[in-house]
Each structure stands twice: as C-alpha cells, then as structure tokens.
Amino acid sequence: MRVLLAEDEPHLCEQIKKLLNAEGRVVDVANSGLDALHLGATEPYDMIILDLGLPERDGISILREWRNEGVKTPVLILTARDGWSERVDGLDAGADDYMTKPFHMPELAARVRAILRRQSGQLNPVIEMGNVILDTRNGRVTADGVPVDLTAQEIAVLTYLAHNSGRMISRSELSEHIYEYDGDRDSNTIAVFVTRLRKKLGTDLITTVRGRGYMIDSA
C-alpha cells in the first residue's frame, strides 16, 4: 500500500517513514505544501498523512483543494496545535482522522491500518486467504501455520492483492502502488514477484487473469 507523507520536520518524517516501511508500506515524502498538493492530486495513493503546518501552503487549504478536485484518497491530518476548532476545520474539509503532536508511533500505525482497512472493506487486521494468513499489523505471513520469509516487495504485492481480494488488479496498477514516486516502475517485474509468492505460499493463492492481471479470491 502506497502512502504520501506530507511533513516538513525531518526527524519526525524519518520516524514515520521507517515505521510505515516496517509494515510493508511504500512511502513518498513531500516536505512542502506545494509538493504535497501536486503529488496528492496526481498520484494514486492509498492514503495520505498531511501535516497542517506545512511551508508554502497550509494543510487545510490543500485538503480542500483535493476534495474540490475530486480526490477521494483517505487523509489523516497531523497538527501541533491543540485547538479543537482546527481539528473540526480539518474534518469538515474532508479529513478521515486526525492526530495531535506529540503522539505515540504505535497509535499512528494503528490509525493508518484502520483507515486502510476501511478503504478496502477489510474489517480484520489479520487477513486469511485459505491456508495463508497475513497480519497487516506487522507484515508477518504464515502458510499452514509456518512463518514464511518474504521480501519487502513481495509483502507489498501480497498486501495490495489481499486488500483488494475478489478484484482483478493489473500489473500497471500494482506497480503504481508498490513503488515510490521516483522508483523504477517496471511492471514486468510484477510477474517475478508473483512467481516467488506462488513458490513460497502455494500456486493456488494468486490467480492470473490472462492478458489483464492478477487476483486473490475473496472467498
């Protein structure tokens, strides 16, 4: 799952990115309001973490512009201010959740997971796919109860397909959600990751829709 992190505090930004990477998220970083506005409007993110106090353009106006342009990506706002009116303004502008700085990283991770589950219709953080279980809280995967070691990109592919079970996902869509903005988005490597997942987790887990993409059954 791909996340836009719009935050201008370098240390906090690095902490959040490290946290999300550890859970298998791909994170793009915007350190200014103008960069955040552009990326949020043009890239297919699964969610956005938006600091309201960005330089060049404030978070509330960015959020309003996204919503006016029809951007439906879920947004969690971060604010260093404790005033209730700003939180209300953010929620009324279209935010899905908020956190006030300072906050505990495990709580941020839990709120991100909850937003992503709601977005995909998954109610449980633990996704069962036959004999394969994916724990989205820590990226751990088991097959027949045995832990399976997956690479970061293999986890990213599996997580995106699992969150969208029952829907055919094209290679191009997968590549948009597992690579960072400036990464090498080679959709041909998706087939390599799928092959590795089948070898590690079983050949029946991921179905190939010939000429279109891949799917994990929703049953």
Side-chain angles (χ1 to χ4, degrees):
M1 311 293 279
R2 190 171 169 212
V3 177
L4 172 62
L5 172 58
E7 171 59 59
D8 65 320
E9 296 181 29
H11 180 64
L12 179 60
C13 193
E14 184 62 30
Q15 282 184 307
I16 295 175
K17 183 174 182 179
K18 183 178 180 180
L19 174 77
L20 298 180
N21 285 160
E23 294 198 347
R25 323 283 184 211
V26 176
V27 181
D28 291 335
V29 175
N31 299 124
S32 72
L34 293 180
D35 287 345
L37 178 65
H38 171 71
L39 288 173
T42 58
E43 292 294 313
Y45 292 105
D46 296 294
M47 75 163 291
I48 297 169
I49 299 173
L50 175 66
D51 178 27
L52 296 186
L54 291 170
E56 298 179 359
R57 184 80 181 264
D58 72 275
I60 294 290
S61 68
I62 292 170
L63 183 53
R64 286 185 177 134
E65 185 163 337
W66 282 338
R67 296 312 190 218
N68 289 337
E69 292 179 357
V71 176
K72 299 179 180 179
T73 309
V75 175
L76 184 154
I77 56 176
L78 304 178
T79 175
R81 305 147 193 159
D82 199 25
W84 63 267
S85 61
E86 184 174 66
R87 297 196 294 271
V88 170
D89 288 343
L91 292 170
D92 283 344
D96 297 83
D97 200 354
Y98 71 87
M99 294 194 71
T100 302
K101 300 176 183 176
F103 51 79
H104 296 290
M105 287 295 164
E107 182 181 358
L108 174 64
R111 289 178 181 269
V112 168
R113 290 194 298 267
I115 288 174
L116 291 174
R117 286 200 305 273
R118 289 197 298 269
Q119 177 75 349
S120 65
Q122 295 283 351
L123 301 179
N124 196 321
V126 178
I127 303 175
E128 298 187 18
M129 300 160 281
N131 67 322
V132 176
I133 296 177
L134 167 64
D135 190 336
T136 62
R137 294 169 297 187
N138 49 36
R140 292 174 184 166
V141 178
T142 61
D144 293 320
V146 179
V148 180
D149 186 24
L150 299 179
T151 67
Q153 287 176 317
E154 289 166 358
I155 291 174
V157 171
L158 179 64
T159 300
Y160 192 75
L161 289 173
H163 273 288
N164 292 277
S165 61
R167 183 169 74 89
M168 191 282 299
I169 307 296
S170 68
R171 289 186 183 182
S172 60
E173 180 178 344
L174 266 173
S175 66
E176 287 177 341
H177 288 266
I178 71 166
Y179 292 116
E180 295 180 3
Y181 177 71
D182 56 356
D184 183 10
R185 301 185 193 177
D186 183 359
S187 62
N188 292 323
T189 60
I190 299 298
V192 176
F193 299 142
V194 170
T195 298
R196 292 177 184 170
L197 287 170
R198 285 173 172 156
K199 287 181 179 179
K200 295 179 178 181
L201 303 175
T203 57
D204 296 332
L205 177 63
I206 302 173
T207 301
T208 298
V209 183
R210 189 173 297 277
R212 297 178 63 193
Y214 304 100
M215 182 174 67
I216 289 179
D217 290 334
S218 57

